[in-house]
Amino acid sequence: MADQSLERTISIRTFHGEDAWATDYSEPLPVEAMQIGGIVEQDKHVIYWEPGDPDNPHNWSDGKKWIVSIVGIITVSNSTFASSLPSGASSYIRADLDITSPEITSLTISIFLIGYVVGPIFFAPVSEFYGRRWVSIIAFSWYTAMSIGCALAPNIGALLGFRFLTGVGASAPLSIAGAQLADLWDDPIKRGRLVAIFCVCTMIGPTLAPFIGGYISETELGWRMVFWIGIIVAAISFIPLIFFCPETYAPIILLRRAQKIRAEGDIHAVAPLELDDRSLKRIFATTLTRPFRMFWQESIVFFTSMFLSLLYGTFYLSFQSFPMIYQDIYGFSPGTAGLFFLPLVAGAILACGVGIAWDSYCHRKQKQNPNVPLSPEFRRLPIGLLGGLAYGAGLFWQAWTANSGVHYVVPALSGIPFGFGFCIVFLACMNYLTDAYEIYAASAMAAASMCRSLLGAAFPLFSRIMYDRLTIPWASSLLAFAGLGMSVTPILFIRYGEKIRARSKFCQFLLERKRIQLEEEEAREASRAASRAPSLKELALEKQPV
């Protein structure tokens, strides 16, 4: 009969479909048992990571981790670059395709972001079920193929259709690349620095596209060449994705190891992932619904998503408001007007430096008190409060300086605090979600991605009406007030975050997982020590002369 501790361990780890929080394929089972259909089958050898196992992504060399991380960041940059690609070419698209309404042209950005909503529903959870690598490759292939459709679109209907399909494929890097960082970097300091670079690149992509698109559309190459450039960049990025980005999801690596061991003759070897029902029905019932459940059931995911959504919506609204300011008020061409997005890049780079400096401070503080671990709230959220204030300040600055009586450099510089605030809040919230939800980071970030993409898609549609009716000063001020109101979110989490996590089913499951892991490691160490200890008979034999 199975040991009670064995039954307890298996019940926690393998009934994945019964509860929203009970899906964990990443940890080992320390016993030779397997659960299928509620029956424990003996003589099954469940493989797991040994300490220092070189195949465990956490134990890869820093060089290999950096290469894989940079490849993921490159794919994210492609995705965000494509999101705003038509913004600088919108007037030329409108003229060439006989579009009468500016709002219809703005749909080329909005409908792309709707793809960002649809894609994570599928890609992020499935990457937790079948691995990161092939999901990334298939999605990026789809993104590249649909981009070709955008370049060849004969009318606005076809262009909008292909833009939506391109957005669906482009959403995968945003969901998966962040999860890959969690797969690779178990050190929160190093992971935090990589996420800082990740956040900068998510902002550099869409801020470079407007002036590239504007300048190219002004030439004989026309607006279609803008999309061909995106396709060329994507094709170049495909090379490192294929050759330098192995599977990073530990449960899938263990699954392949078990399959190899069985092929070599040990038919009893199984991986933890094989202990679960991997049917299509289970995927739809449990895995694909997890981002929605996390959004509505987890306060951390909900309020973090709402804070990011407001900033994200305002950021994509700027692709409509900047032309109103720098083309309509100051008279610049579309290409030149696109250059005024570059201060946002400067702010994002500054945010990256501040984020790394804050991580270094937390590292020093932890070393001074190694027995008192820093909470995820203290480690991540204070800079989020700073970012919210900077975001509001940047919008107020732009609101009351963007007029013909003030030199254009003055409102342009407001992009620095705005870019800083956007990036530092993004950095703080993404790191916080990763620290709080660990193996569920992909689903948590998918929930946040869907929410912010909805607002990112909606804001450009009403931006012109809002700015026309409220005027630039009051329209931007309204957004600034909303941002300052949402800036209380980090304060509330710093104050109550630990209590919120104590009531979270997902977070409590993770704590239980860590406790069991520690118990199992101690049991294995005790077993190894006992096996190494000589018996009384062996000691007696050692004393006999040979």
Side-chain angles (χ1 to χ4, degrees):
M1 184 170 179
D3 182 72
Q4 289 183 353
S5 63
L6 165 64
E7 293 177 351
R8 174 179 58 82
T9 301
I10 290 180
S11 68
I12 291 173
R13 293 227 177 131
T14 59
F15 289 112
H16 301 305
E18 299 297 324
D19 294 300
W21 62 94
T23 304
D24 176 18
Y25 305 122
S26 63
E27 288 304 312
L29 287 171
V31 292
E32 294 182 352
M34 183 176 180
Q35 173 102 13
I36 299 178
I39 301 174
V40 176
E41 294 187 359
Q42 299 297 333
D43 302 324
K44 293 296 183 180
H45 172 56
V46 184
I47 62 173
Y48 53 87
W49 296 126
E50 292 290 344
D53 193 316
D55 289 337
N56 186 342
H58 286 168
N59 296 328
W60 292 355
S61 67
D62 281 359
K64 184 176 181 179
K65 290 180 182 179
W66 270 99
I67 290 173
V68 176
S69 300
I70 290 172
V71 171
I73 290 171
I74 288 173
T75 61
V76 170
S77 299
N78 270 269
S79 171
T80 57
F81 177 74
S83 68
S84 62
L85 204 54
S87 61
S90 59
S91 59
Y92 301 95
I93 294 174
R94 189 160 59 246
D96 187 42
L97 299 182
D98 297 324
I99 303 169
T100 57
S101 172
E103 283 72 23
I104 294 178
T105 311
S106 67
L107 279 173
T108 56
I109 293 177
S110 294
I111 203 162
F112 184 96
L113 297 178
I114 294 296
Y116 273 8
V117 178
V118 176
I121 298 173
F122 179 79
F123 291 127
V126 170
S127 77
E128 295 173 346
F129 213 73
Y130 290 110
R132 319 289 193 202
R133 173 175 165 78
W134 283 108
V135 173
S136 298
I137 291 174
I138 292 170
F140 206 78
S141 302
W142 175 272
Y143 156 74
T144 306
M146 295 303 105
S147 296
I148 296 174
C150 293
L152 299 175
N155 53 56
I156 186 61
L159 178 59
L160 293 178
F162 280 116
R163 281 290 288 172
F164 168 74
L165 296 174
T166 304
V168 172
S171 69
L174 285 174
S175 302
I176 295 174
Q180 282 180 320
L181 298 182
D183 293 342
L184 295 169
W185 303 93
D186 55 337
D187 182 350
I189 299 296
K190 293 180 180 178
R191 185 176 66 243
R193 292 171 181 174
L194 259 297
V195 173
I197 298 172
F198 173 88
C199 292
V200 171
C201 291
T202 62
M203 192 163 203
I204 289 177
T207 52
L208 290 179
F211 76 86
I212 292 176
Y215 279 126
I216 291 175
S217 298
E218 293 172 2
T219 68
E220 295 181 355
L221 297 173
W223 64 268
R224 295 183 187 274
M225 189 62 193
V226 175
F227 290 104
W228 285 113
I229 287 178
I231 295 163
I232 292 169
V233 172
I236 294 172
S237 302
F238 218 110
I239 297 172
L241 178 63
I242 293 290
F243 293 104
F244 301 108
C245 193
E247 181 57 59
T248 63
Y249 194 45
I252 294 295
I253 300 174
L254 282 174
L255 173 62
R256 293 173 182 170
R257 176 181 286 186
Q259 292 169 342
K260 181 179 179 181
I261 292 173
R262 288 199 296 270
E264 293 172 351
D266 184 359
I267 61 174
H268 299 294
V270 294
L273 193 62
E274 294 176 292
L275 304 180
D276 195 66
D277 178 7
R278 288 164 55 79
S279 65
L280 190 63
K281 179 181 177 182
R282 181 57 53 86
I283 295 176
F284 282 99
T286 303
T287 312
L288 296 184
T289 62
R290 190 183 302 127
F292 295 99
R293 287 187 272 108
M294 293 188 78
F295 180 78
W296 291 113
Q297 296 174 5
E298 298 291 307
S299 299
I300 291 173
V301 176
F302 179 82
F303 287 105
T304 299
S305 299
M306 296 307 295
F307 192 14
L308 288 174
S309 298
L310 177 63
L311 271 67
Y312 206 70
T314 306
F315 176 65
Y316 275 94
L317 181 145
S318 67
F319 294 111
Q320 304 298 320
S321 64
F322 273 39
M324 299 179 202
I325 295 172
Y326 298 107
Q327 291 177 228
D328 298 347
I329 294 178
Y330 291 105
F332 289 106
S333 68
T336 304
L339 292 173
F340 290 97
F341 285 96
L342 294 182
L344 277 70
V345 177
I349 294 172
L350 178 62
C352 180
V354 171
I356 292 173
W358 176 254
D359 271 349
S360 298
Y361 167 76
C362 291
H363 182 57
R364 290 193 302 271
K365 190 174 181 65
Q366 185 67 78
K367 287 181 68 175
Q368 292 170 1
N369 298 284
N371 296 324
V372 182
L374 297 178
S375 69
E377 289 78 19
F378 178 83
R379 184 184 292 277
R380 303 303 184 191
L381 295 180
I383 57 174
L385 172 60
L386 176 64
L389 297 175
Y391 156 88
L395 282 175
F396 280 125
W397 182 342
Q398 180 200 72
W400 299 100
T401 60
N403 62 74
S404 57
V406 178
H407 196 276
Y408 62 83
V409 171
V410 178
L413 291 177
S414 68
I416 296 177
F418 177 81
F420 172 84
F422 176 88
C423 191
I424 206 74
V425 170
F426 199 92
L427 167 62
C429 292
M430 290 296 100
N431 270 322
Y432 184 45
L433 289 177
T434 302
D435 288 353
Y437 292 102
E438 299 179 2
I439 61 171
Y440 303 114
S443 291
M445 285 190 281
S449 177
M450 287 186 290
C451 182
R452 69 174 185 263
S453 296
L454 275 174
L455 265 71
F459 274 41
L461 298 178
F462 62 75
S463 58
R464 183 168 290 275
I465 295 174
M466 183 177 74
Y467 273 84
D468 286 343
R469 293 186 178 181
L470 297 180
T471 70
I472 289 173
W474 285 110
S476 294
S477 295
L478 176 63
L479 296 170
F481 282 122
L484 291 176
M486 288 300 299
S487 295
V488 303
T489 302
I491 300 175
L492 294 176
F493 283 148
I494 291 171
R495 178 68 179 85
Y496 301 107
E498 188 172 352
K499 294 179 180 179
I500 293 172
R501 286 187 288 111
R503 293 193 296 268
S504 163
K505 294 178 179 180
F506 285 88
C507 293
Q508 289 308 300
F509 175 75
L510 291 171
L511 287 175
E512 178 69 6
R513 165 181 173 266
K514 290 179 180 179
R515 185 186 65 79
I516 293 175
Q517 180 184 11
L518 180 61
E519 289 179 357
E520 292 169 354
E521 183 62 32
E522 292 173 349
R524 287 196 296 269
E525 288 298 325
S527 177
R528 293 190 190 102
S531 65
R532 290 193 296 266
S535 65
L536 292 175
K537 183 177 180 179
E538 289 171 336
L539 291 173
L541 289 173
E542 287 179 2
K543 294 180 180 179
Q544 294 181 2
V546 178

